[in-house]
Amino acid sequence: MSAFKLAGGKPSSPSSPIPTIVNQAASAMAINLLILAGTIEATLLAKEISDVGVNAVLSYAGRVERVKPQPLPKRIGGFGGVEGLCKYLEASAISHVIDATHPFAIKMSRNAVDACAHLKVPLLALSRPPWVAQKADLWKEVDSIAAAVGLLEMPMRRVMLALGRMHLSEFCAQPQHNYLLRLVDPPAFEISLPYFESIISRGPFTKEGDIALLQKYKIDLLVSKNSGGSGARSKIDAARYLGLPVIMINRPNLNRERKEVQSVSRALNWLFHGDKNLGV
Protein backbone atom coordinates (compact mmCIF):
# COMPACT_ATOMS: atom_id res chain seq x y z
CA MET A 1 0.00 0.00 0.00
CA SER A 2 1.24 3.50 -0.75
CA ALA A 3 2.98 5.34 2.04
CA PHE A 4 0.69 8.21 1.14
CA LYS A 5 -2.54 6.19 1.34
CA LEU A 6 -5.15 8.13 3.23
CA ALA A 7 -5.92 6.34 6.48
CA GLY A 8 -9.35 5.93 8.04
CA GLY A 9 -10.88 4.61 11.22
CA LYS A 10 -10.80 5.84 14.81
CA PRO A 11 -7.58 6.91 16.53
CA SER A 12 -6.09 4.42 18.98
CA SER A 13 -5.04 7.23 21.30
CA PRO A 14 -5.37 10.99 21.60
CA SER A 15 -1.89 11.36 20.11
CA SER A 16 -2.89 9.81 16.76
CA PRO A 17 -2.13 12.19 13.85
CA ILE A 18 -5.72 12.92 12.84
CA PRO A 19 -5.00 16.58 11.89
CA THR A 20 -2.28 15.42 9.48
CA ILE A 21 -4.64 12.91 7.85
CA VAL A 22 -7.41 15.48 7.57
CA ASN A 23 -5.05 18.08 6.15
CA GLN A 24 -3.68 15.61 3.59
CA ALA A 25 -7.20 14.61 2.58
CA ALA A 26 -8.11 18.25 2.12
CA SER A 27 -4.94 18.81 0.10
CA ALA A 28 -5.72 15.83 -2.13
CA MET A 29 -9.20 17.16 -2.86
CA ALA A 30 -7.81 20.59 -3.79
CA ILE A 31 -5.23 19.26 -6.27
CA ASN A 32 -5.87 18.88 -9.98
CA LEU A 33 -2.61 17.46 -11.32
CA LEU A 34 -1.22 17.19 -14.83
CA ILE A 35 1.52 14.57 -15.19
CA LEU A 36 3.61 14.91 -18.33
CA ALA A 37 4.34 11.24 -18.84
CA GLY A 38 6.37 8.82 -20.90
CA THR A 39 8.71 7.21 -18.37
CA ILE A 40 8.67 4.44 -15.79
CA GLU A 41 8.79 7.15 -13.15
CA ALA A 42 5.54 8.62 -14.49
CA THR A 43 3.90 5.20 -14.23
CA LEU A 44 5.07 4.76 -10.62
CA LEU A 45 3.86 8.26 -9.77
CA ALA A 46 0.47 7.56 -11.37
CA LYS A 47 -0.04 4.52 -9.15
CA GLU A 48 0.73 6.49 -6.00
CA ILE A 49 -1.50 9.36 -7.09
CA SER A 50 -4.33 6.96 -7.86
CA ASP A 51 -3.95 5.28 -4.46
CA VAL A 52 -4.24 8.63 -2.70
CA GLY A 53 -7.27 9.69 -4.71
CA VAL A 54 -5.88 12.88 -6.23
CA ASN A 55 -7.59 14.16 -9.36
CA ALA A 56 -4.99 13.82 -12.12
CA VAL A 57 -4.44 13.13 -15.80
CA LEU A 58 -1.47 11.59 -17.61
CA SER A 59 -0.41 13.28 -20.84
CA TYR A 60 1.56 11.41 -23.52
CA ALA A 61 3.18 12.89 -26.60
CA GLY A 62 1.88 10.01 -28.73
CA ARG A 63 5.25 8.75 -29.95
CA VAL A 64 4.57 5.27 -28.57
CA GLU A 65 1.52 3.53 -30.01
CA ARG A 66 1.05 0.94 -27.26
CA VAL A 67 0.70 2.97 -24.07
CA LYS A 68 0.73 0.84 -20.92
CA PRO A 69 -2.55 0.58 -18.97
CA GLN A 70 -2.71 3.24 -16.28
CA PRO A 71 -4.88 3.85 -13.21
CA LEU A 72 -5.47 7.48 -14.24
CA PRO A 73 -7.18 9.12 -17.21
CA LYS A 74 -4.89 9.67 -20.21
CA ARG A 75 -4.62 12.25 -22.96
CA ILE A 76 -2.43 11.63 -26.01
CA GLY A 77 -0.92 14.21 -28.33
CA GLY A 78 0.84 17.54 -28.18
CA PHE A 79 -0.58 20.77 -26.77
CA GLY A 80 0.46 23.15 -29.54
CA GLY A 81 3.47 24.83 -27.94
CA VAL A 82 3.50 27.12 -24.93
CA GLU A 83 0.30 28.90 -25.96
CA GLY A 84 -1.59 25.64 -26.38
CA LEU A 85 -0.34 24.32 -23.06
CA CYS A 86 -1.42 27.53 -21.32
CA LYS A 87 -4.91 27.15 -22.79
CA TYR A 88 -5.10 23.54 -21.62
CA LEU A 89 -3.93 24.38 -18.09
CA GLU A 90 -6.52 27.15 -17.80
CA ALA A 91 -9.38 25.22 -19.40
CA SER A 92 -8.72 22.16 -17.21
CA ALA A 93 -8.13 24.22 -14.04
CA ILE A 94 -4.80 22.48 -13.46
CA SER A 95 -3.37 23.32 -10.05
CA HIS A 96 0.01 21.52 -10.32
CA VAL A 97 2.21 20.05 -13.05
CA ILE A 98 4.80 17.30 -12.65
CA ASP A 99 7.08 16.81 -15.63
CA ALA A 100 8.02 13.12 -15.76
CA THR A 101 8.89 13.05 -19.46
CA HIS A 102 11.95 11.42 -20.99
CA PRO A 103 15.18 13.40 -20.38
CA PHE A 104 15.45 13.99 -24.14
CA ALA A 105 11.90 15.37 -24.49
CA ILE A 106 13.48 18.77 -24.14
CA LYS A 107 10.91 20.79 -26.11
CA MET A 108 8.04 19.63 -23.92
CA SER A 109 10.02 20.34 -20.75
CA ARG A 110 10.88 23.85 -21.92
CA ASN A 111 7.26 24.51 -22.85
CA ALA A 112 6.16 23.32 -19.41
CA VAL A 113 8.56 25.70 -17.66
CA ASP A 114 7.45 28.65 -19.77
CA ALA A 115 3.72 27.93 -19.55
CA CYS A 116 3.73 27.29 -15.81
CA ALA A 117 5.80 30.42 -15.17
CA HIS A 118 3.37 32.49 -17.25
CA LEU A 119 0.32 31.18 -15.35
CA LYS A 120 2.08 30.81 -12.00
CA VAL A 121 1.18 27.11 -11.84
CA PRO A 122 3.55 25.14 -9.56
CA LEU A 123 5.84 22.88 -11.61
CA LEU A 124 8.16 20.08 -10.53
CA ALA A 125 10.37 17.83 -12.64
CA LEU A 126 10.62 14.17 -11.65
CA SER A 127 13.97 13.43 -13.28
CA ARG A 128 16.12 10.34 -13.62
CA PRO A 129 19.77 10.72 -12.61
CA PRO A 130 21.99 10.20 -15.67
CA TRP A 131 24.26 7.20 -16.00
CA VAL A 132 27.86 7.77 -15.00
CA ALA A 133 30.67 5.93 -16.74
CA GLN A 134 32.35 3.27 -14.62
CA LYS A 135 35.98 2.26 -14.77
CA ALA A 136 35.42 -0.59 -17.24
CA ASP A 137 33.14 1.42 -19.57
CA LEU A 138 34.43 2.32 -23.03
CA TRP A 139 32.36 5.44 -23.63
CA LYS A 140 32.83 8.19 -26.15
CA GLU A 141 30.52 10.99 -25.02
CA VAL A 142 28.96 13.39 -27.53
CA ASP A 143 26.39 16.17 -27.26
CA SER A 144 24.14 15.42 -30.23
CA ILE A 145 22.82 12.80 -32.63
CA ALA A 146 24.80 14.49 -35.41
CA ALA A 147 28.02 14.10 -33.44
CA ALA A 148 27.25 10.41 -32.86
CA VAL A 149 26.70 9.95 -36.61
CA GLY A 150 30.01 11.64 -37.26
CA LEU A 151 31.87 9.19 -35.04
CA LEU A 152 30.60 6.33 -37.21
CA GLU A 153 32.87 7.45 -40.06
CA MET A 154 34.69 4.12 -40.06
CA PRO A 155 34.68 0.80 -41.92
CA MET A 156 31.62 -1.42 -41.57
CA ARG A 157 30.60 -2.40 -38.03
CA ARG A 158 27.59 -4.12 -36.52
CA VAL A 159 26.00 -1.25 -34.61
CA MET A 160 23.09 -1.37 -32.18
CA LEU A 161 21.12 1.89 -32.21
CA ALA A 162 19.40 2.23 -28.81
CA LEU A 163 17.69 5.50 -29.68
CA GLY A 164 14.05 4.79 -30.46
CA ARG A 165 12.66 5.47 -33.92
CA MET A 166 12.77 9.26 -34.22
CA HIS A 167 16.38 9.73 -35.37
CA LEU A 168 17.00 6.64 -37.48
CA SER A 169 17.10 8.55 -40.76
CA GLU A 170 20.10 10.58 -39.60
CA PHE A 171 22.22 7.43 -39.62
CA CYS A 172 21.69 7.07 -43.38
CA ALA A 173 24.75 9.34 -43.59
CA GLN A 174 26.74 6.26 -42.53
CA PRO A 175 25.18 3.57 -44.76
CA GLN A 176 28.12 1.15 -44.60
CA HIS A 177 27.13 -0.27 -41.21
CA ASN A 178 24.81 -3.15 -40.36
CA TYR A 179 22.41 -1.72 -37.80
CA LEU A 180 20.35 -3.47 -35.13
CA LEU A 181 17.24 -1.58 -34.02
CA ARG A 182 15.21 -2.40 -30.91
CA LEU A 183 11.89 -0.58 -31.03
CA VAL A 184 8.80 -0.47 -28.82
CA ASP A 185 6.46 -0.21 -31.83
CA PRO A 186 6.88 -1.05 -35.51
CA PRO A 187 7.95 2.11 -37.34
CA ALA A 188 5.14 4.01 -39.04
CA PHE A 189 7.48 4.86 -41.92
CA GLU A 190 9.86 2.98 -44.16
CA ILE A 191 13.33 2.73 -42.63
CA SER A 192 15.80 3.90 -45.24
CA LEU A 193 18.93 2.36 -43.73
CA PRO A 194 20.45 0.02 -46.35
CA TYR A 195 21.40 -2.72 -43.89
CA PHE A 196 19.45 -3.25 -40.71
CA GLU A 197 17.50 -5.72 -38.59
CA SER A 198 14.79 -4.65 -36.18
CA ILE A 199 13.38 -6.18 -33.01
CA ILE A 200 10.00 -5.03 -31.68
CA SER A 201 10.11 -5.46 -27.91
CA ARG A 202 9.13 -3.56 -24.80
CA GLY A 203 11.30 -3.62 -21.67
CA PRO A 204 12.26 -3.86 -18.97
CA PHE A 205 15.23 -5.85 -20.18
CA THR A 206 17.93 -7.68 -18.23
CA LYS A 207 21.70 -7.60 -18.37
CA GLU A 208 21.80 -11.32 -19.12
CA GLY A 209 19.23 -10.96 -21.89
CA ASP A 210 21.09 -8.06 -23.48
CA ILE A 211 24.42 -9.88 -23.28
CA ALA A 212 22.80 -12.72 -25.23
CA LEU A 213 21.29 -10.22 -27.71
CA LEU A 214 24.58 -8.45 -28.38
CA GLN A 215 26.34 -11.77 -28.82
CA LYS A 216 23.63 -13.19 -31.10
CA TYR A 217 23.88 -10.26 -33.51
CA LYS A 218 27.68 -9.97 -33.09
CA ILE A 219 27.41 -6.31 -32.18
CA ASP A 220 30.66 -4.32 -32.32
CA LEU A 221 29.41 -0.97 -31.09
CA LEU A 222 26.45 0.51 -29.19
CA VAL A 223 24.97 3.98 -29.72
CA SER A 224 22.78 5.14 -26.82
CA LYS A 225 21.21 8.23 -25.33
CA ASN A 226 22.05 8.82 -21.68
CA SER A 227 18.47 8.18 -20.59
CA GLY A 228 19.45 7.26 -17.03
CA GLY A 229 17.34 5.22 -14.64
CA SER A 230 17.21 1.45 -14.31
CA GLY A 231 14.69 0.44 -16.98
CA ALA A 232 17.05 0.85 -19.95
CA ARG A 233 20.39 0.35 -18.23
CA SER A 234 20.80 -3.35 -19.06
CA LYS A 235 22.30 -2.70 -22.50
CA ILE A 236 24.95 -0.46 -20.93
CA ASP A 237 25.81 -3.12 -18.36
CA ALA A 238 25.92 -5.73 -21.13
CA ALA A 239 28.27 -3.62 -23.24
CA ARG A 240 30.57 -3.18 -20.24
CA TYR A 241 30.58 -6.93 -19.59
CA LEU A 242 31.45 -7.67 -23.22
CA GLY A 243 34.01 -4.87 -23.49
CA LEU A 244 32.09 -3.11 -26.28
CA PRO A 245 32.56 0.60 -27.05
CA VAL A 246 29.57 2.88 -26.51
CA ILE A 247 28.85 6.20 -28.18
CA MET A 248 26.92 7.92 -25.39
CA ILE A 249 24.79 10.93 -26.29
CA ASN A 250 24.61 13.40 -23.43
CA ARG A 251 21.35 15.00 -22.41
CA PRO A 252 20.44 18.33 -23.99
CA ASN A 253 20.62 21.43 -21.84
CA LEU A 254 17.21 22.61 -20.67
CA ASN A 255 18.31 26.27 -20.52
CA ARG A 256 15.58 26.88 -17.97
CA GLU A 257 15.45 26.94 -14.18
CA ARG A 258 13.04 24.55 -12.49
CA LYS A 259 12.65 22.54 -9.31
CA GLU A 260 13.68 18.89 -9.64
CA VAL A 261 13.53 15.71 -7.58
CA GLN A 262 14.69 12.20 -8.41
CA SER A 263 12.19 10.03 -6.56
CA VAL A 264 8.43 9.55 -6.49
CA SER A 265 8.33 9.95 -2.70
CA ARG A 266 9.89 13.40 -2.90
CA ALA A 267 7.52 14.38 -5.70
CA LEU A 268 4.60 13.44 -3.45
CA ASN A 269 6.10 15.42 -0.57
CA TRP A 270 6.24 18.45 -2.84
CA LEU A 271 2.70 17.92 -4.08
CA PHE A 272 1.20 17.77 -0.58
CA HIS A 273 3.57 19.99 1.38
CA GLY A 274 5.20 22.34 -1.09
CA ASP A 275 8.77 23.46 -1.61
CA LYS A 276 9.75 23.14 2.05
CA ASN A 277 10.12 19.37 1.63
CA LEU A 278 12.25 19.44 -1.52
CA GLY A 279 15.41 19.21 0.52
CA VAL A 280 14.22 16.21 2.56
Side-chain angles (χ1 to χ4, degrees):
M1 180 179 294
S2 166
F4 290 81
K5 189 80 170 180
L6 299 182
K10 296 180 179 180
S12 58
S13 69
S15 61
S16 296
I18 290 300
T20 300
I21 295 172
V22 172
N23 290 342
Q24 184 168 306
S27 297
M29 293 178 62
I31 293 169
N32 188 23
L33 173 67
L34 172 64
I35 302 173
L36 302 174
T39 59
I40 291 174
E41 290 77 15
T43 296
L44 295 174
L45 177 63
K47 182 182 182 306
E48 295 287 346
I49 290 297
S50 176
D51 286 347
V52 174
V54 169
N55 188 37
V57 62
L58 282 163
S59 178
Y60 291 89
R63 291 173 182 165
V64 174
E65 295 176 6
R66 296 178 295 154
V67 177
K68 292 181 179 179
Q70 297 289 355
L72 296 175
K74 299 188 294 287
R75 71 170 299 279
I76 298 176
F79 292 96
V82 175
E83 182 179 356
L85 180 55
C86 284
K87 289 179 179 178
Y88 177 86
L89 295 176
E90 289 185 309
S92 302
I94 297 297
S95 67
H96 296 72
V97 177
I98 295 182
D99 180 357
T101 56
H102 192 278
F104 282 77
I106 196 70
K107 186 176 181 180
M108 183 69 256
S109 291
R110 288 172 180 164
N111 288 348
V113 172
D114 294 345
C116 288
H118 179 72
L119 297 177
K120 295 181 172 54
V121 173
L123 168 70
L124 181 74
L126 175 54
S127 305
R128 306 170 174 177
W131 297 318
V132 178
Q134 299 184 17
K135 186 176 181 180
D137 284 320
L138 303 175
W139 289 10
K140 178 66 176 179
E141 296 185 53
V142 295
D143 291 329
S144 67
I145 297 287
V149 172
L151 286 181
L152 291 177
E153 185 71 46
M154 61 178 72
M156 192 278 288
R157 297 286 190 277
R158 294 182 181 272
V159 180
M160 180 174 177
L161 297 181
L163 303 168
R165 57 183 179 172
M166 286 186 61
H167 301 285
L168 297 179
S169 62
E170 297 183 46
F171 289 85
C172 292
Q174 303 291 353
Q176 71 275 25
H177 300 299
N178 195 325
Y179 292 102
L180 175 64
L181 318 175
R182 182 163 66 187
L183 307 172
V184 175
D185 298 303
F189 51 85
E190 184 177 353
I191 296 174
S192 52
L193 295 169
Y195 308 107
F196 74 93
E197 293 182 76
S198 60
I199 301 170
I200 308 303
S201 182
R202 184 192 291 272
F205 304 103
T206 65
K207 174 184 174 181
E208 293 73 22
D210 278 354
I211 288 173
L213 178 72
L214 295 174
Q215 289 177 324
K216 175 182 178 180
Y217 288 92
K218 300 178 181 178
I219 297 301
D220 301 306
L221 173 67
L222 175 68
V223 182
S224 176
K225 294 177 179 178
N226 194 334
S227 301
S230 59
R233 186 185 178 91
S234 59
K235 60 182 176 288
I236 307 302
D237 295 334
R240 181 188 310 117
Y241 177 84
L242 295 172
L244 298 180
V246 176
I247 298 176
M248 184 64 74
I249 303 168
N250 293 324
R251 298 178 179 188
N253 193 333
L254 182 65
N255 293 323
R256 303 285 194 281
E257 290 188 5
R258 65 180 183 182
K259 299 180 178 69
E260 294 190 25
V261 296
Q262 295 183 341
S263 70
V264 170
S265 62
R266 292 184 67 195
L268 290 169
N269 274 332
W270 171 84
L271 188 63
F272 288 111
H273 305 296
D275 295 345
K276 64 183 180 181
N277 274 349
L278 282 183
V280 176

